[in-house]
Amino acid sequence: MTITRLPDLKFNDIERNQAKMKEFQSQKCMKIVTDEDVLQAMEWTGKLAESIGFLYTDQLLLRLVTEEAIVNAREYSSEDGQNEVKINWNFTHKVLVISVKQLGAFYSINKKEDINYGLRGRGLQLILNIMEEVWLEQEEANKITLHMKKCLNDERER
Amino acid sequence: MLKNLTDTIEVLEWSENITLKSVEPFRQAMNKLVNGTKQQLILNLASTNYINSAGLGIIADSAMEARRNQKELVITDIQQSVKEIFSIVKFTSFMKIFESEQEAIAYFMVNHNETENI
């Protein structure tokens, strides 16, 4: 498991949909408390992905990553008796990084190849297979952040 | 919506995306499909382009439950996004997925006739 700090991503001028991107530049962070917050975060991810230029299928998959990461964080945080989850979006015209911060300690984020026939346990595997880079960061003693990065593939998307 | 196609085939046409708000109705609908009287079960996902991991778990568990009860659950009409999701979780390794309901029905008809001829 590689642990690295999130690199500083600048909000560069966007070649397409600059008006839409300004809307998202002001929505960098969101606290997640209710199910409606989760749906709102998914909606923001989808719109942001569309503005960057991801294909519709990838927009849906990025929404899925958002839902899975937040739901996992809420479940894990609530095990500790508290529930503090935040989501953050960092982006350039080609890169989207979704970061979900929660209370808790490090956990394993390894891809698995075996088939899961059960009811649970697919959320993290979906994230690891959809996103190009996934890593955990510990900024404070009992808080971790899951960072998930996807790049716009010029050959596929444009 | 559940529909009886033949004496042995029943279809669940699921008409929306499966996300945290809609997963419980989906679970109930799948329970009804799997616990019904028919042995050959079709889940038609033509109107679904998003399934979360909870929904995937319900589908996998339903397929295994069907098998335990000498039934078979197949899936039809999946959208491209769902195809990618299914590929990640390797559903094709233990469930049959057809392009259309007609192909699934034809598959079941062949299997049913073969069983009758034994």
Side-chain angles (χ1 to χ4, degrees):
Chain A
M1 181 174 67
T2 301
I3 305 163
T4 57
R5 287 197 65 81
L6 176 68
D8 290 328
L9 296 177
K10 293 183 172 46
F11 293 100
N12 297 328
D13 286 339
I14 310 297
E15 291 172 6
R16 292 181 285 133
N17 298 319
Q18 286 191 9
K20 273 188 188 173
M21 294 307 288
K22 279 183 186 171
E23 180 183 8
F24 295 110
Q25 285 179 8
S26 65
Q27 190 77 21
K28 291 183 287 184
C29 186
M30 182 181 169
K31 196 171 176 183
I32 303 295
V33 178
T34 63
D35 285 354
E36 282 66 34
D37 293 337
V38 180
L39 295 172
Q40 180 65 68
M42 290 162 61
E43 186 71 20
W44 277 114
T45 295
K47 287 183 179 175
L48 184 54
E50 183 188 15
S51 298
I52 292 172
F54 285 101
L55 291 175
Y56 182 62
T57 298
D58 282 335
Q59 293 170 36
L60 290 171
L61 294 176
L62 285 164
R63 285 179 183 239
L64 179 60
V65 162
T66 302
E67 177 176 356
E68 298 300 334
I70 294 174
V71 167
N72 276 352
R74 288 174 90 196
E75 283 182 21
Y76 192 76
S77 286
S78 66
E79 284 176 12
D80 298 289
Q82 303 176 62
N83 194 343
E84 188 180 313
V85 176
K86 289 182 184 172
I87 182 169
N88 194 62
W89 296 268
N90 277 295
F91 55 91
T92 69
H93 65 289
K94 279 193 174 187
V95 178
L96 173 61
V97 179
I98 302 168
S99 303
V100 175
K101 189 173 187 176
Q102 63 175 91
L103 296 173
F106 273 130
Y107 54 88
S108 170
I109 52 169
N110 298 314
K111 263 191 193 179
K112 293 179 186 172
E113 294 302 323
D114 49 326
I115 299 166
N116 181 351
Y117 299 96
L119 267 172
R120 294 172 58 87
R122 292 179 184 81
L124 185 57
Q125 293 307 306
L126 285 166
I127 292 169
L128 290 171
N129 280 277
I130 291 168
M131 305 305 275
E132 281 153 38
E133 285 180 53
V134 179
W135 69 100
L136 274 171
E137 183 182 8
Q138 186 161 30
E139 297 156 23
E140 300 168 49
N142 67 336
K143 289 183 183 171
I144 52 172
T145 301
L146 181 70
H147 300 289
M148 301 158 285
K149 177 181 172 184
K150 190 162 180 72
C151 301
L152 191 63
N153 181 327
D154 285 336
E155 288 172 7
R156 266 184 63 206
E157 311 284 358
R158 298 183 195 253
Chain B
M1 180 180 79
L2 273 174
K3 33 176 217 192
N4 286 322
L5 280 189
T6 68
D7 289 342
T8 57
I9 302 176
E10 190 159 23
V11 181
L12 172 61
E13 290 177 348
W14 190 251
S15 57
E16 57 182 308
N17 292 331
I18 303 166
T19 182
L20 77 170
K21 280 291 192 183
S22 56
V23 73
E24 194 50 40
F26 179 65
R27 187 194 314 276
Q28 291 171 10
M30 287 297 287
N31 276 344
K32 201 171 176 184
L33 177 70
V34 171
N35 293 314
T37 56
K38 305 295 169 66
Q39 288 77 46
Q40 295 163 328
L41 312 173
I42 298 174
L43 173 61
N44 183 326
L45 294 176
S47 301
T48 302
N49 59 19
Y50 181 103
I51 305 178
N52 67 5
S53 63
L56 296 171
I58 291 166
I59 293 172
D61 190 59
S62 298
M64 301 310 290
E65 177 68 16
R67 196 171 294 181
R68 283 191 287 270
N69 292 288
Q70 286 75 54
K71 300 179 181 181
E72 185 174 7
L73 172 68
V74 303
I75 303 175
T76 72
D77 298 88
I78 61 171
Q79 303 299 312
Q80 180 58 37
S81 52
V82 173
K83 200 173 279 188
E84 291 203 31
I85 294 169
F86 277 17
S87 171
I88 291 169
V89 297
K90 300 181 170 65
F91 268 12
T92 51
S93 65
F94 64 98
M95 271 189 278
K96 287 195 168 47
I97 299 172
F98 297 96
E99 291 289 319
S100 68
E101 216 172 273
Q102 287 67 37
E103 286 184 23
I105 293 166
Y107 162 76
F108 278 140
M109 289 299 189
V110 167
N111 275 7
H112 183 64
N113 288 339
E114 282 179 355
T115 305
E116 280 190 331
N117 290 336
I118 291 172

